[in-house]
Amino acid sequence: MNELAYHLQTLEEALLTTEVRQSTERLRELLTDDFFEIGSSGRVLYQDWDQTTLQIDPIEAVLSEFTMHPLTEGHVLVTYRLVQPKLNRVTRRSSIWVLVDGLWKMRFHQGTVVPSEAT
């Protein structure tokens, strides 16, 4: 895994922690102003997120199969598998990261539930 892929995986893992998910300051550092997510429910989330009030519930999960797909200079797609043992759920995740003023920030995220017969 190259240095950028390792860095982006570290940022993805940070976004799973209670410390980051409940810190408006850290979320501002990691998410673009126009960030949005298509949740595993299929709903569009956080499309007009308020940076002063957004707090995301923590996730207990294990990230694996992390892959980086460069798109353009300063834009990267990452994909990975996320296992959430307490929910007995596996999801495939994808995020688009953009380089903003020298910092990588997430612009888009999507989670898709993997049916038990496909895991």
Side-chain angles (χ1 to χ4, degrees):
M1 181 179 304
N2 72 31
E3 188 176 325
L4 178 56
Y6 178 79
H7 178 66
L8 293 176
Q9 180 174 339
T10 301
L11 295 178
E12 288 278 358
E13 290 170 337
L15 281 163
L16 298 174
T17 67
T18 301
E19 176 186 350
V20 170
R21 294 173 76 82
Q22 296 186 347
S23 167
T24 301
E25 181 179 318
R26 285 292 287 142
L27 290 171
R28 262 193 220 119
E29 292 171 4
L30 294 171
L31 304 177
T32 63
D33 292 343
D34 59 349
F35 168 78
F36 72 101
E37 174 177 342
I38 299 174
S40 57
S41 65
R43 292 180 303 182
V44 175
L45 308 168
Y46 318 119
Q47 191 163 19
D48 296 312
W49 74 290
D50 180 344
Q51 294 184 39
T52 61
T53 61
L54 177 67
Q55 291 192 338
I56 308 171
D57 292 333
I59 293 177
E60 291 186 31
V62 177
L63 187 153
S64 64
E65 300 177 25
F66 189 87
T67 307
M68 183 179 79
H69 313 270
L71 300 172
T72 65
E73 184 76 27
H75 291 79
V76 174
L77 169 70
V78 300
T79 58
Y80 57 93
R81 182 174 184 261
L82 197 69
V83 176
Q84 295 170 271
K86 284 191 174 183
L87 297 178
N88 194 29
R89 183 167 83 167
V90 176
T91 53
R92 292 282 180 184
R93 303 285 175 140
S94 59
S95 303
I96 295 177
W97 288 86
V98 296
L99 192 58
V100 178
D101 297 328
L103 299 173
W104 285 97
K105 294 187 173 210
M106 184 185 289
R107 175 168 285 157
F108 170 79
H109 182 76
Q110 181 168 359
T112 303
V113 174
V114 177
S116 57
E117 63 272 9
T119 59

